[in-house]
């Protein structure tokens, strides 16, 4: 029995092309390759679309899902760095000029705390996206992480040295140099924020850029990294690094990455590191968005900075 295929009709509708038609919310295990020898299976939510030319009534929605599942299964032994092969198979199967596919998932990392070296979980929201045309394919990777930011203005206003009287300053000048340095670096407090850092890169050499690479760039640009669990020595480290860019260890100050940073500072620092990858042609471009969820304002005020490469 031959069943009608209404999608293949060529008459009875306005002949207008559609740039993007497909299905969303496909749930499937997806083996993701991150690093030279690291592959894990994640539960991904896939959105899959094709273009539709003006002379055809519809796309076969069931076939999009079928093609996606079959391609994931076929390529699963390799692990996915990008979805480029899936996008190409989708475009060919539907005889479309263009195909788009994205997979969103939570990617687990294990992060050691800075002092006690406690293994703690870190879950990153990640999206892989690929766009396949007739002659080329573009691959994108988006990583989001939550870290700590501390307001430079707040710190500067609250520094002890800005609140000393002349007589107090004269007394401090009599102290040993190391003790004087500690006192003048201290303050009455500085407010911090939970900072959400999102980075999207267009990959030129997918085999050289991984999820973990992008996470490391973002985490290094915040005032201090954030952890799922902290022992007291770790909490001391995080607090002092966010405040001063280092911490006091057995009487000596150890400089680390971090310190007070606005959203603008974080965005520019990340861009500076990404420009090196772009110069080496490992990425073609990037977009950075930093959101600081303010701790001293009501109504959920969020400071936002967005920076896109040229």
């Amino acid at each position: 029995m031959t069943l009608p295929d209404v999608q293949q009709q060529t008459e009875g509708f306005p002949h207008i092309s559609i740039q993007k038609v497909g299905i969303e919310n496909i749930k499937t295990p997806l083996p993701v390759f991150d690093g030279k020898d690291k592959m894990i299976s994640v539960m991904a939510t896939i959105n899959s679309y094709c273009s539709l030319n003006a002379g055809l009534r519809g796309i076969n929605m069931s076939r999009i899902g079928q093609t996606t599942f079959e391609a994931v299964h076929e390529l699963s032994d390799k692990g996915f760095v990008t979805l480029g092969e899936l996008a190409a198979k989708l475009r060919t199967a539907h005889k479309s000029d263009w195909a788009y596919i994205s997979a969103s998932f939570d990617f687990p990392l294990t992060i050691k705390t800075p002092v006690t070296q406690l293994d703690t979980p870190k879950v990153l929201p990640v999206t892989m996206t690929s766009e396949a045309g007739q002659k080329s394919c573009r691959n994108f990777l988006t990583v989001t992480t939550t870290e700590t930011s501390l307001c430079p203005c707040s710190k500067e206003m609250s520094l002890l040295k800005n609140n000393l009287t002349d007589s107090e300053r004269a007394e401090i000048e009599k102290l040993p140099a190391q003790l004087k340095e500690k006192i003048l670096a201290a303050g009455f407090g500085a407010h911090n924020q939970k900072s959400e850092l999102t980075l999207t890169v267009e990959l030129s050499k997918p085999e050289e850029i991984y999820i973990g690479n992008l996470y490391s760039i973002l985490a290094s640009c915040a005032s201090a990294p954030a952890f799922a669990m902290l022992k007291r020595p770790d909490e001391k480290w995080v607090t002092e690094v966010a405040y001063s860019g280092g911490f006091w260890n057995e009487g000596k100050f150890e400089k680390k990455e971090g310190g007070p940073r606005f959203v603008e500072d974080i965005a520019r620092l990340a861009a500076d590191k990404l420009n090196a990858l772009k110069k080496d042609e490992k990425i073609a471009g990037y977009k950075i968005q930093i959101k600081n969820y303010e701790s001293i304002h009501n109504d959920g005020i969020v400071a936002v900075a967005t920076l896109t490469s040229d």
Side-chain angles (χ1 to χ4, degrees), residues 48-283:
S48 188
Y49 315 92
C50 296
S51 62
L52 181 64
N53 66 52
L56 197 62
R57 183 175 179 181
I59 199 85
N60 190 319
M61 296 290 181
S62 297
R63 189 177 297 164
I64 288 183
Q66 178 184 352
T67 301
T68 301
F69 282 124
E70 288 176 348
V72 167
H73 179 73
E74 179 184 341
L75 301 170
S76 62
D77 289 342
K78 299 170 61 177
F80 292 93
V81 178
T82 75
L83 302 178
E85 289 188 68
L86 268 67
K89 286 178 176 293
L90 188 67
R91 190 190 70 79
T92 300
H94 294 274
K95 301 177 182 178
S96 298
D97 295 330
W98 176 92
Y100 169 102
I101 187 167
S102 70
S104 298
F105 51 88
D106 288 335
F107 187 83
L109 292 175
T110 300
I111 308 297
K112 289 186 179 296
T113 57
V115 180
T116 66
Q117 296 293 289
L118 178 69
D119 285 335
T120 64
K122 186 93 173 184
V123 179
L124 307 179
V126 173
T127 300
M128 288 181 173
T129 304
S130 292
E131 303 174 0
Q134 292 180 330
K135 296 182 180 179
S136 64
C137 183
R138 301 177 69 187
N139 299 297
F140 301 87
L141 182 60
T142 298
V143 175
T144 298
T145 184
T146 299
E147 309 299 340
T148 299
S149 67
L150 184 139
C151 178
C153 188
S154 174
K155 175 190 173 180
E156 193 66 26
M157 289 188 294
S158 68
L159 282 173
L160 177 62
K161 66 182 181 182
N162 294 330
N163 292 277
L164 293 172
T165 64
D166 290 342
S167 60
E168 289 170 337
R169 187 174 293 278
E171 289 298 316
I172 289 175
E173 290 296 327
K174 300 175 185 179
L175 298 173
Q178 189 170 341
L179 180 56
K180 176 183 171 182
E181 181 185 3
K182 283 185 178 180
I183 291 174
L184 293 181
F188 294 107
H191 74 87
N192 56 18
Q193 305 101 340
K194 183 174 286 186
S195 186
E196 183 182 270
L197 297 76
T198 300
L199 170 62
T200 298
V201 298
E202 181 176 358
L203 301 168
S204 301
K205 298 177 180 178
E207 68 282 358
E208 296 186 24
I209 300 295
Y210 301 109
I211 295 168
N213 299 141
L214 300 185
Y215 162 72
S216 296
I217 289 173
L218 291 174
S220 70
C221 295
S223 292
F227 300 87
M229 297 177 288
L230 293 169
K231 297 285 190 179
R232 277 181 294 176
D234 301 311
E235 185 174 351
K236 177 183 182 294
W237 186 99
V238 169
T239 303
E240 292 178 5
V241 166
Y243 188 85
S244 58
F247 76 112
W248 289 93
N249 183 24
E250 297 182 351
K252 295 182 180 179
F253 185 74
E254 295 188 12
K255 182 70 177 176
K256 300 292 180 182
E257 287 187 301
R261 288 173 182 174
F262 296 120
V263 288
E264 299 94 327
D265 298 323
I266 298 172
R268 285 170 171 152
L269 285 167
D272 191 49
K273 295 186 177 187
L274 291 162
N275 285 339
L277 296 180
K278 190 177 177 185
K279 184 177 179 181
D280 291 341
E281 298 183 343
K282 294 181 179 180
I283 62 173

